[in-house]
Amino acid sequence: MNWSSLLVLVCPLMMVVMMLGMKGAHGHGHGKKGSHGVSASDSGVRQELDELKAQNEQMKRELEALRGYQKAE
């Protein structure tokens, strides 16, 4: 048996080993889960999104007030 045939046999076995190793690494150490199953980074993003939504609503009210003021003139 020569080296090229050995490589042909070893290559698929190494692929299987690497794929199993990658499968086992998923889902470990990607942030702590909160009480609702949301990671800590997701919680911060959600809080920022809520703040931006509140600012957006405030700006909409101010814009409507300015439009009403402009129509009154």
Side-chain angles (χ1 to χ4, degrees), residues 17-69:
V17 170
M18 287 191 297
M19 292 298 285
L20 290 174
M22 290 177 65
K23 182 178 178 184
H26 288 285
H28 297 288
H30 293 289
K32 294 182 179 180
K33 295 285 184 179
S35 61
H36 298 289
V38 178
S39 70
S41 62
D42 287 345
S43 178
V45 171
R46 287 185 188 274
Q47 182 179 1
E48 186 176 352
L49 180 61
D50 291 339
E51 291 172 2
L52 289 172
K53 285 180 180 179
Q55 289 177 1
N56 190 16
E57 290 300 319
Q58 178 65 29
M59 289 191 306
K60 283 181 183 179
R61 288 190 294 271
E62 291 175 3
L63 184 59
E64 288 300 319
L66 289 172
R67 285 182 182 161
Y69 178 75

